[in-house]
Amino acid sequence: MKDHITIEGHDGAFAAYIARPKTSPAPAVAYHGGDTEKYLGEVGGLSAPLLMHLAEEDEFISKPAQAEIKAALAKKPNATVYSYPGQNHAFTRHNGAHYNAAAAALANGRTSEFLHQQLR
């Protein structure tokens, strides 16, 4: 079993995750990772499992930035990126302005399965 996990949902979460010491990599989940594209040069050092959720209509992460993120992480066998069509930033935030129950349930179910697999 991994010693700990990281679940992040705020801007800069991906940067904080990949910038931390790599001696004890733990699995991580990133929801709505604003500014992720600014830190893609660090992806080479990513050794821990990563699950990322991106809203396709995210007003803080442009479509070109999302394409960069997906392309960079596609090179990492331990990274999975899910994209949610028609969803805006923070679509999983319960009672938030862009909350979508169906999309949130899908993302949260994927997260639950990922964590179940990683924490065996």
Side-chain angles (χ1 to χ4, degrees):
M1 182 194 290
K2 308 292 192 259
D3 60 348
H4 62 280
I5 59 168
T6 301
I7 300 179
E8 298 287 354
H10 53 81
D11 293 346
F14 180 77
Y17 174 67
I18 61 174
R20 71 191 175 132
K22 306 297 190 280
T23 56
S24 180
V29 179
Y31 283 77
H32 322 296
D35 290 335
T36 297
E37 70 280 4
K38 294 178 183 177
Y39 303 95
L40 293 176
E42 302 292 327
V43 167
L46 180 65
S47 61
L50 171 68
L51 174 63
M52 179 174 271
H53 302 286
L54 292 175
E56 284 189 8
E57 303 305 319
D58 195 311
E59 57 273 30
F60 300 106
I61 309 171
S62 70
K63 290 191 185 288
Q66 289 185 42
E68 288 179 49
I69 293 165
K70 292 174 188 175
L73 292 176
K75 299 173 187 172
K76 302 299 289 186
N78 55 323
T80 301
V81 179
Y82 287 110
S83 189
Y84 298 84
Q87 300 308 307
N88 293 87
H89 190 78
F91 69 90
T92 60
R93 186 182 304 142
H94 188 70
N95 292 328
H98 299 295
Y99 178 69
N100 181 289
L106 180 58
N108 292 336
R110 288 170 167 167
T111 296
S112 179
E113 178 61 27
F114 172 79
L115 294 176
H116 177 74
Q117 290 175 359
Q118 297 303 318
L119 299 176
R120 289 184 192 180

